Amino acid sequence: MQENNLSEFEIEDQKIIENVELNIWEALIPVVILMAMLAYNIFFVEGQEWLGGYTNQLILLMGGGVAAIVGFFNKVSLKVMFLEVIENIKSVFVPIMILFLVGALAGTWLVSGIIPAMVYYGLQVLNPAIFLPACVVIAAIISVATGSSWTTSATVGIALIGIGEALGISLGMVAGAVISGAYFGDKMSPLSDTTNLAPAMAGTDLFTHIRYMAITTVPTIIITLIVFSIISLNLETTGNADVSGLLETINNTFNITPWLFVVPLVVIALILTKTKPLIALGTGVLLAAVFAMVFQSDVLSTLSESNMKSIFNAIFVDTEIVTDNEKLNDLFTAGGMKGMLWTIYLIACAMVFGGVMDAIGALARITRALLSLATTVFGLFASTVFSCLGLNAIASDQYLAIVIPGKMFKKAFEDKGLAPENLSRTLEDSGTVTSVLIPWNTCGAYQSSVLGVSVADYFVYAIFNWLSPFTTLFFAALNIKIRQLSGKSA
């Protein structure tokens, strides 16, 4: 999902660190303090800048400091913690590079006219009455085809956000619809890394996993589409009355032509042919730069004294294209690579906290505590779900939220006579899709940065993502399609 190129699943061999000196209450101390500081910043500090513009990053580092103190008292050396933090940061090197390229992509796709063209044609096709469910379907199709929610957000997601903003639709709603569709497609695509990782951890095969996962995933996406259809039919938008004015402004500012769609189509084609994501996105940036020189020379000349400098600025720093429509001025702004630094710092700080928690054995201790509560079949499913949710928040990485519970709970599912696809499905229903709901998780940080919408704003509308764990627990509670090792339903 993160485009981390896990085709050989090196992460499957990751050592889970346990510490017999550490008890559950000590393991929870850093978590409780971290959550308390984050809650104070969210609910009691105006503007959420308790410690300045990088408050969340500093809170994560302080949480890591508390975890390190707990580790010292439990005989964990500074060297062990440092090495684990380095391993964690190394694991997100590719996602960080992708973030930089996505920033460059947004800037070059703006000055080349690609994003304006997507908005221009989208405004003529997508009616507000069907816009939100259409966002779900479009994002789902692209994500199934590419196997990546990240690629979906960085391409059609940005365009759909722009169209929604032009129509006057809440950006939280649009982002929630895009994310719901993107994670459905990612989850069901055989090209997705997490869709391959989950069955590998549980001990089943890919297509058995996908077929079994459809039992809970299809009802969830249907409910999501129904809810968004109802919301769309009752929307009061400001966009209908002035769409013609918006179209005229876009057409007067940019040279709009269908040829501009060659660039996103090339990027998607490269992803489909399993080209490395850094190469695919880098190609998108270079092609967009060429198209900007060919089709938007007038736009480039208004941004700086030379066209080449305008392109370099679009790649690396802020770019703002001024029109006679205030709504479009907000839309036609991009931050380039510089705009991704806040998110990158957040991911790095989250990896520090998660690395220290792993090094002191806290992640394993918390997971084992949840496992000890699984005395019934439903309790086993519930413990797996809460373990995945907790690790998404504590370790800040969806891969760890799949790997650690997958290793820890595998034998427990076997002992209950449950087929491994039960575990792999639960890992995806609760680990993969909820990662985007945590602001400091790599997925939550990425999506909020790329779409320009905070997690708090899209959380409620990411219906598919928060509904999925409830669906898997509902099926477990009613014993629906719970497959035993014998192959018969329980």
Side-chain angles (χ1 to χ4, degrees):
M1 182 177 302
Q2 292 180 10
E3 307 284 15
N4 221 4
N5 196 24
L6 293 180
S7 57
E8 296 180 3
F9 302 113
E10 295 91 343
I11 197 167
E12 183 180 351
D13 298 323
Q14 176 178 332
K15 181 181 178 183
I16 297 174
I17 300 173
E18 299 200 51
N19 185 353
V20 295
E21 301 285 340
L22 191 73
N23 63 49
I24 183 60
W25 304 112
E26 291 171 322
L28 288 172
I29 288 174
V31 178
V32 172
I33 292 176
L34 176 72
M35 296 304 175
M37 288 191 291
L38 288 169
Y40 176 78
N41 186 54
I42 292 169
F43 297 111
F44 298 103
V45 178
E46 187 176 349
Q48 294 185 25
E49 291 195 358
W50 175 28
L51 303 172
Y54 292 95
T55 295
N56 286 343
Q57 288 88 337
L58 291 172
I59 288 175
L60 285 164
L61 291 177
M62 287 189 287
V66 172
I69 293 171
V70 172
F72 287 138
F73 279 100
N74 287 274
K75 303 177 182 178
V76 181
S77 70
L78 181 62
K79 180 181 178 181
V80 170
M81 289 185 272
F82 178 76
L83 290 176
E84 195 63 27
V85 167
I86 294 299
E87 286 300 312
N88 265 22
I89 293 176
K90 282 167 58 179
S91 73
V92 294
F93 175 77
V94 172
I96 285 174
M97 291 300 101
I98 288 173
L99 273 172
F100 275 127
L101 280 176
V102 167
L105 200 76
T108 54
W109 283 24
L110 172 60
V111 298
S112 64
I114 295 168
I115 291 175
M118 289 178 172
V119 175
Y120 181 83
Y121 291 112
L123 284 172
Q124 299 175 66
V125 175
L126 293 174
N127 187 284
I130 62 164
F131 181 70
L132 292 176
C135 285
V136 176
V137 173
I138 292 169
I141 291 171
I142 297 298
S143 202
V144 167
T146 62
S148 170
S149 59
W150 284 37
T151 298
T152 301
S153 298
T155 51
V156 297
I158 293 174
L160 291 170
I161 286 287
I163 296 168
E165 186 172 3
L167 289 171
I169 299 173
S170 162
L171 295 188
M173 290 183 183
V174 181
V178 169
I179 288 169
S180 292
Y183 275 78
F184 165 80
D186 186 313
K187 189 180 173 200
M188 298 301 291
S189 173
L191 302 176
S192 168
D193 49 13
T194 52
T195 306
N196 282 271
L197 181 60
M201 296 308 307
T204 187
D205 67 272
L206 173 63
F207 290 103
T208 297
H209 166 65
I210 291 175
R211 286 193 298 268
Y212 194 64
M213 193 163 52
I215 295 170
T216 56
T217 303
V218 171
T220 306
I221 197 65
I222 289 173
I223 293 171
T224 300
L225 285 168
I226 291 171
V227 172
F228 276 120
S229 297
I230 294 171
I231 293 174
S232 283
L233 291 172
N234 290 278
L235 275 179
E236 293 183 8
T237 63
T238 60
N240 273 339
D242 55 7
V243 163
S244 59
L246 295 174
L247 295 176
E248 184 179 356
T249 299
I250 295 171
N251 203 31
N252 290 338
T253 306
F254 296 91
N255 177 18
I256 300 298
T257 167
W259 284 108
L260 294 169
F261 288 97
V262 169
V263 178
L265 288 174
V266 167
V267 173
I268 292 173
L270 288 172
I271 295 291
L272 287 174
T273 54
K274 298 186 178 181
T275 304
K276 289 185 180 296
L278 291 176
I279 296 174
L281 294 175
T283 301
V285 172
L286 293 175
L287 282 177
V290 172
F291 274 54
M293 299 287 283
V294 173
F295 292 104
Q296 312 298 342
S297 57
D298 290 342
V299 173
L300 295 176
S301 64
T302 64
L303 296 174
S304 70
E305 59 271 17
S306 74
N307 289 357
M308 189 60 69
K309 184 177 179 181
S310 296
I311 291 173
F312 272 101
N313 286 341
I315 292 173
F316 294 106
V317 295
D318 301 331
T319 298
E320 183 178 358
I321 297 175
V322 179
T323 70
D324 57 9
N325 188 296
E326 187 175 335
K327 187 180 295 183
L328 290 177
N329 288 342
D330 293 335
L331 175 59
F332 296 154
T333 302
M337 290 186 178
K338 177 185 173 184
M340 293 294 166
L341 288 176
W342 191 94
T343 303
I344 289 167
Y345 294 152
L346 183 68
I347 291 173
C349 292
M351 291 301 99
V352 171
F353 177 75
V356 178
M357 287 291 287
D358 193 13
I360 68 173
L363 299 186
R365 176 64 67 188
I366 292 169
T367 306
R368 285 208 177 280
L370 288 169
L371 181 57
S372 68
L373 301 175
T375 57
T376 64
V377 169
F378 176 75
L380 182 57
F381 278 89
S383 296
T384 307
V385 168
F386 286 115
S387 179
C388 292
L389 294 174
L391 285 166
N392 262 327
I394 299 168
S396 308
D397 184 80
Q398 66 169 349
Y399 295 126
L400 292 177
I402 293 173
V403 171
I404 294 177
K407 287 187 175 183
M408 295 254 182
F409 286 82
K410 183 177 180 181
K411 187 175 185 304
F413 273 77
E414 292 174 356
D415 292 343
K416 294 287 185 186
L418 298 171
E421 51 264 36
N422 290 287
L423 174 57
S424 65
R425 182 178 76 184
T426 308
L427 293 174
E428 288 253 64
D429 283 345
S430 52
T432 297
V433 299
T434 61
S435 57
V436 74
L437 304 177
I438 310 297
W440 56 90
N441 188 286
T442 50
C443 293
Y446 174 89
Q447 297 290 350
S448 63
S449 181
V450 168
L451 297 176
V453 182
S454 71
V455 175
D457 288 336
Y458 71 63
F459 185 100
V460 174
Y461 300 106
I463 298 168
F464 175 80
N465 301 73
W466 58 255
L467 185 59
S468 291
F470 289 103
T471 305
T472 204
L473 289 176
F474 176 79
F475 275 65
L478 297 184
N479 201 19
I480 302 172
K481 298 291 185 180
I482 304 302
R483 189 172 296 166
Q484 292 181 306
L485 284 171
S486 62
K488 299 179 182 179
S489 295

